[in-house]
């Protein structure tokens, strides 16, 4: 498969690529230079400043920063100048609430202007921005709002009533809830304030807080296999890597139309759905609706999208809808397509050629890396099925944990190992919230260990193998088996539960729960539906299991820990591996 290469994207009418020769770009690159190019020699650095004042200073104030498209195809544009004024207003609201620098502000919002305004305003004010996935149920929201010590929340009226009102009492640190109204009239819920009203009264000027490279800017939650979700902190310096990769990997030039389909509840939706593209002066398309093939093709054509960043699950759904549908429209403006979040199979890469006359370019990174680390670059050959090569400025290897406890770099011999990155890139996470131990454990002998297994071929291309842990990737979302198990355990009929990911042709993996019932409960279709409903209510449909299997007993280690690995091996018909710790050797 290594030599299944696909020719490069056509160079777009006159636009020259930021990266034309990979080795030259790598050889010349330095993060110090990149920082200077963005923020000059100043000691202060503020993400929102780089995303708004910088492009405005370059004369892009009247360009569209973001175009929001609603269900009925109404288009609402915000120029860079307008977005800036609104972000200033929001920063002033935070000031008037007496919020100290560094306190966290969260949003539970769909893809709309308020999210952009609140996010950029928060960063401008020097507060920490945390965008939570609006499809989460109350349970995951409560855990994250608590862990993040969130002081201010911006959400819509209906999301508040459905998901937050019931957990508000458990959130004493959450002082202010600002409501985005969906209808102009009527009383707001108790103990909330009207976002629009506060905005209309707030002044339009605000000097960006004099934050420094190392100050925390963003808080993203990601999943662990055990315990609570991990709060990943990124600093203002992350904007340097998000800017550089928006140029070198996504090839975003000022004025180009860019569509990132990721939800802002996840890191891609912020790094490349908000910050990175603005620092490049691009015009973003924001679709407020959910996935729909016809709608997506119409957006690509009518909005004259130049560059498109999407995900394997969406690509597979488009493939399923048929090439003819894609061919029913024309995309003369489209010049680059990239993907992230889960393995992009070779078939999906080459389907790009059939449907759009260009391949999808896979990219790899994680919440912890804060920006793209490995990529197929627009001007370089694409190796279908490979994630590409390390971004200039990033040293990536495949390593193996040696017997003595150290690390061994596997030297381009196509052997499997764990992806390791040499710290030094500016968007590397600065910590796991309140878990320094876990943070330390992510590094070994001067490398950050990513927890993904891969091979690296002799030309430096990385080939994904799988995750080294139990975390589930479904439709691009990381799901903690532990979080799902905890919610299921709260159902009165559930005695024991184990949750794993099972292969799914569209979503990559689907969440499946194995349940041992308490005495007195009988397996039935009704009970299954009841447990399913319970899980959806607590977790939200995107996280709840799609399949439930009842088991007489679940395989456990002698210490009582349920062996997800063994369940997975049995489910997939894989070798069961070392069973020496299995209780009773079933
Ligand atoms: C995990 C990180 C990347 C930002 C959005 C997700 C998996 C990511 C790829 C890819 C195969 C991929 C990895 C990684 N992943 N990109 N191109 N091929 N797997 O960030 O939620 O922190 O997830 O997503 O397992 O560790 P995240």
């Amino acid at each position: 498969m290594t030599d299944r290469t696909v020719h490069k994207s056509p160079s777009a009418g006159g636009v020259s690529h930021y990266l034309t020769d990979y080795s030259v770009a790598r050889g010349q690159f330095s993060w110090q230079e990149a920082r200077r190019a963005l923020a000059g020699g100043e000691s202060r650095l503020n993400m929102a400043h780089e995303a708004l004042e910088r492009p405005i200073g370059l004369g892009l104030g009247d360009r569209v920063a973001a175009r929001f498209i609603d269900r009925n195809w109404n288009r609402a544009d915000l120029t860079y100048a307008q977005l800036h004024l609104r972000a200033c207003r929001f920063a002033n609201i935070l000031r008037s609430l007496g919020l100290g620098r560094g306190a966290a502000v969260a949003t539970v919002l769909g893809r709309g202007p308020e999210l952009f305004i609140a996010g950029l305003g928060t960063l401008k004010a020097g507060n920490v921005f945390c965008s939570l996935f609006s499809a989460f149920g109350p349970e995951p929201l409560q855990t994250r709002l608590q862990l993040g010590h969130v002081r201010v929340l911006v959400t819509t009226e209906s999301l508040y009533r459905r998901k937050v009102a019931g957990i508000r009492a458990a959130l004493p640190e959450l002082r202010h809830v600002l409501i985005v109204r969906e209808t102009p009239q009527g009383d707001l819920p108790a103990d909330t304030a009207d976002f629009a009203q506060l905005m209309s009264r707030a002044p339009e000027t605000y000097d960006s807080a004099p934050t420094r490279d190392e100050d925390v800017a963003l808080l993203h939650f990601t999943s662990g296999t055990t315990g609570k979700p991990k709060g990943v902190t990124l600093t203002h310096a992350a904007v340097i890597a998000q800017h550089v990769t928006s140029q070198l990997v996504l090839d975003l030039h000022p004025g180009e139309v860019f569509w990132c389909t990721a939800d802002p509840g996840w890191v891609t939706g912020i790094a490349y759905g908000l910050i990175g593209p603005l620092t490049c002066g691009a015009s973003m398309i924001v679709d407020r609706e959910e996935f729909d093939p016809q709608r997506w093709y119409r957006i690509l054509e009518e909005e004259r999208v130049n560059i498109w960043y999407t995900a394997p699950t969406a690509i597979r759904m488009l493939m399923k809808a048929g090439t003819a549908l894609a061919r029913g429209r024309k995309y003369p403006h489209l010049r680059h397509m990239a993907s992230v979040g889960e393995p992009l199979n070779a078939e999906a890469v080459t389907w790009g050629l059939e449907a759009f006359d260009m391949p999808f370019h896979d990219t790899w990174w994680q919440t912890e890396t804060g920006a793209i680390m490995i990529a197929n670059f627009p001007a370089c050959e694409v190796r279908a099925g490979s994630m590409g090569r390390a971004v200039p400025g990033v040293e990536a290897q495949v390593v193996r944990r040696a017997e003595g406890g150290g690390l061994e770099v596997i030297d381009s011999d196509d052997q499997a190992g764990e992806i390791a990155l040499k710290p030094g890139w500016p968007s590397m996470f600065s910590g796991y919230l309140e878990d320094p131990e876990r943070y330390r454990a992510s590094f070994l002998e001067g490398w950050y260990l990513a927890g993904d297994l891969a091979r690296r071929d002799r030309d430096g291309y990385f080939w994904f193998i799988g995750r080294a842990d139990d975390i589930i990737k479904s439709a691009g979302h990381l799901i903690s088996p532990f979080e799902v198990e905890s919610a299921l355990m709260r159902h009165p009929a559930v005695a024991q539960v184990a949750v794993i990911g099972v292969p799914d042709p569209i979503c990559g993996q689907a969440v499946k729960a194995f349940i041992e019932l308490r005495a007195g409960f009988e397996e039935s279709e009704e009970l299954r539906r009841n447990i399913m409903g319970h899980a959806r209510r607590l977790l939200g449909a995107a996280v709840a299991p799609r399949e439930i299997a009842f088991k007489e007993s679940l395989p456990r280690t002698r210490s009582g820990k349920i062996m997800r690995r063994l369940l997975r091996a049995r489910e997939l018909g894989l070798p069961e591996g070392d069973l020496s710790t299995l209780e009773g050797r079933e």
Side-chain angles (χ1 to χ4, degrees):
M1 265 234 304
T2 324
D3 44 17
R4 272 180 75 177
T5 56
V6 179
H7 44 83
K8 58 195 183 193
S9 302
S11 177
V15 180
S16 59
H17 297 300
Y18 279 104
L19 184 154
T20 46
D21 182 310
Y22 179 74
S23 327
V24 171
R26 254 195 103 72
Q28 289 176 343
F29 189 85
S30 103
W31 287 115
Q32 285 86 342
E33 271 307 312
R35 191 199 184 281
R36 247 196 308 279
L38 195 64
E42 284 189 56
S43 61
R44 38 197 274 189
L45 180 67
N46 183 286
M47 256 187 189
H49 184 87
E50 298 309 325
L52 294 169
E53 277 103 319
R54 183 174 184 273
I56 291 170
L58 295 174
L60 301 169
D62 294 332
R63 292 282 178 88
V64 172
R67 163 170 292 181
F68 302 90
I69 308 178
D70 77 6
R71 180 191 307 248
N72 305 314
W73 295 96
N74 295 311
R75 294 161 169 91
D77 291 348
L78 277 179
T79 64
Y80 276 86
Q82 290 167 335
L83 184 55
H84 180 226
L85 294 183
R86 286 168 177 70
C88 287
R89 284 182 190 260
F90 188 79
N92 277 309
I93 295 178
L94 296 182
R95 181 181 280 164
S96 72
L97 296 177
L99 209 64
R101 275 262 299 273
V105 176
T107 51
V108 177
L109 288 171
R111 294 177 290 266
E114 294 83 10
L115 185 129
F116 278 55
I117 293 162
L120 292 163
T122 299
L123 294 167
K124 212 168 192 326
N127 289 104
V128 175
F129 177 49
C130 174
S131 168
L132 294 170
F133 189 37
S134 59
F136 273 145
E139 192 105 322
L141 288 179
Q142 179 179 333
T143 319
R144 286 159 179 78
L145 290 166
Q146 273 169 344
L147 267 174
H149 302 285
V150 170
R151 299 291 164 81
V152 179
L153 172 68
V154 185
T155 186
T156 66
E157 188 167 355
S158 59
L159 287 169
Y160 183 80
R161 290 193 198 277
R162 272 192 291 141
K163 305 180 175 197
V164 186
I167 56 172
R168 183 84 188 264
L171 301 166
E173 290 181 292
L174 179 58
R175 305 240 182 84
H176 308 279
V177 175
L178 314 185
I179 297 284
V180 175
R181 280 177 182 275
E182 284 139 327
T183 48
Q185 262 106 45
D187 289 339
L188 288 180
D191 210 10
T192 65
D194 187 329
F195 175 85
Q197 199 174 63
L198 292 174
M199 282 289 287
S200 70
R201 292 180 192 149
E204 289 191 326
T205 55
Y206 194 101
D207 288 332
S208 299
T211 45
R212 290 176 175 264
D213 292 44
E214 65 275 14
D215 291 336
V216 174
L218 299 170
L219 170 62
H220 292 289
F221 284 96
T222 184
S223 299
T225 31
T226 56
K228 294 175 177 164
K230 300 181 279 188
V232 173
T233 54
L234 300 180
T235 66
H236 281 275
V239 70
I240 302 165
Q242 293 174 350
H243 175 71
V244 161
T245 48
S246 292
Q247 291 190 330
L248 298 183
V249 181
L250 300 174
D251 213 33
L252 298 184
H253 290 70
E256 284 198 293
V257 179
F258 174 59
W259 186 22
C260 169
T261 62
D263 191 276
W266 307 93
V267 70
T268 310
I270 300 300
Y272 301 104
L274 182 63
I275 307 295
L278 292 179
T279 65
C280 294
S283 296
M284 279 184 280
I285 296 296
V286 185
D287 182 20
R288 309 198 61 163
E289 282 300 293
E290 290 315 310
F291 174 84
D292 170 65
Q294 313 234 18
R295 188 175 165 96
W296 278 33
Y297 292 133
R298 178 169 169 193
I299 290 177
L300 286 171
E301 179 178 69
E302 287 186 3
E303 297 304 326
R304 304 174 168 209
V305 172
N306 299 123
I307 294 161
W308 186 28
Y309 197 24
T310 189
T313 293
I315 296 168
R316 287 188 292 260
M317 292 197 284
L318 292 175
M319 287 170 76
K320 199 172 152 199
T323 310
L325 194 63
R327 283 286 175 192
R329 289 187 176 267
K330 298 220 168 1
Y331 318 98
H333 300 274
L334 189 62
R335 69 172 183 89
H336 184 55
M337 314 196 297
S339 164
V340 70
E342 343 149 40
L344 182 70
N345 36 319
E347 294 68 29
V349 175
T350 45
W351 180 74
L353 289 168
E354 277 173 44
F356 302 98
D357 301 315
M358 66 190 89
F360 285 99
H361 292 63
D362 197 10
T363 66
W364 176 94
W365 57 296
Q366 315 177 296
T367 309
E368 285 88 340
T369 71
I372 300 169
M373 295 284 110
I374 294 174
N376 285 284
F377 299 89
C380 305
E381 109 198 348
V382 173
R383 293 200 175 166
S386 158
M387 306 191 292
R389 290 176 286 182
V391 164
V394 172
E395 193 183 339
Q397 290 289 354
V398 161
V399 302
R400 176 166 44 212
R401 292 172 198 247
E403 287 195 1
L407 274 195
E408 230 176 87
V409 171
I410 300 177
D411 199 17
S412 31
D413 57 1
D414 279 327
Q415 278 184 45
E418 195 171 336
I419 298 178
L421 305 166
K422 186 70 96 193
W425 76 96
S427 60
M428 187 179 87
F429 67 138
S430 61
Y432 285 128
L433 219 57
E434 289 167 18
D435 204 346
E437 198 37 57
R438 204 166 195 172
Y439 186 66
R440 268 196 298 278
S442 313
F443 299 86
L444 194 60
E445 297 198 336
W447 292 93
Y448 163 67
L449 295 175
D452 277 354
L453 302 174
R455 292 182 294 115
R456 182 177 181 271
D457 68 25
R458 63 189 64 78
D459 302 323
Y461 282 79
F462 287 79
W463 300 78
F464 186 78
I465 295 175
R467 290 193 57 95
D469 55 30
D470 285 343
I471 299 177
I472 300 162
K473 248 288 147 127
S474 186
H477 304 149
L478 278 187
I479 296 175
S480 156
F482 179 83
E483 208 168 7
V484 180
E485 288 163 4
S486 308
L488 287 169
M489 282 300 285
R490 289 176 47 193
H491 189 281
V494 175
Q496 292 289 352
V497 56
V499 166
I500 63 167
V502 294
D504 178 275
I506 299 290
C507 296
Q509 288 187 305
V511 178
K512 177 164 183 179
F514 294 86
I515 291 176
E516 216 177 283
L517 291 175
R518 274 181 199 285
F521 286 91
E522 285 290 320
E523 181 181 332
S524 74
E525 200 37 51
E526 195 190 338
L527 182 58
R528 188 197 312 276
R529 268 201 303 273
N530 186 287
I531 297 176
M532 209 80 113
H534 160 92
R536 291 217 177 109
R537 251 188 330 276
L538 290 184
L539 297 166
V543 181
R546 213 172 55 194
E547 226 185 302
I548 287 179
F550 294 114
K551 289 264 177 201
E552 284 285 309
S553 76
L554 295 171
R556 275 189 205 89
T557 62
R558 293 201 185 105
S559 59
K561 220 174 136 219
I562 291 175
M563 294 179 84
R564 295 187 192 117
R565 181 175 58 83
L566 183 58
L567 275 172
R568 202 166 46 223
R570 288 184 181 165
E571 185 73 14
L572 308 184
L574 297 172
E576 297 191 349
D578 178 15
L579 302 181
S580 55
T581 57
L582 184 67
E583 182 196 54
R585 296 284 191 100
E586 299 190 296

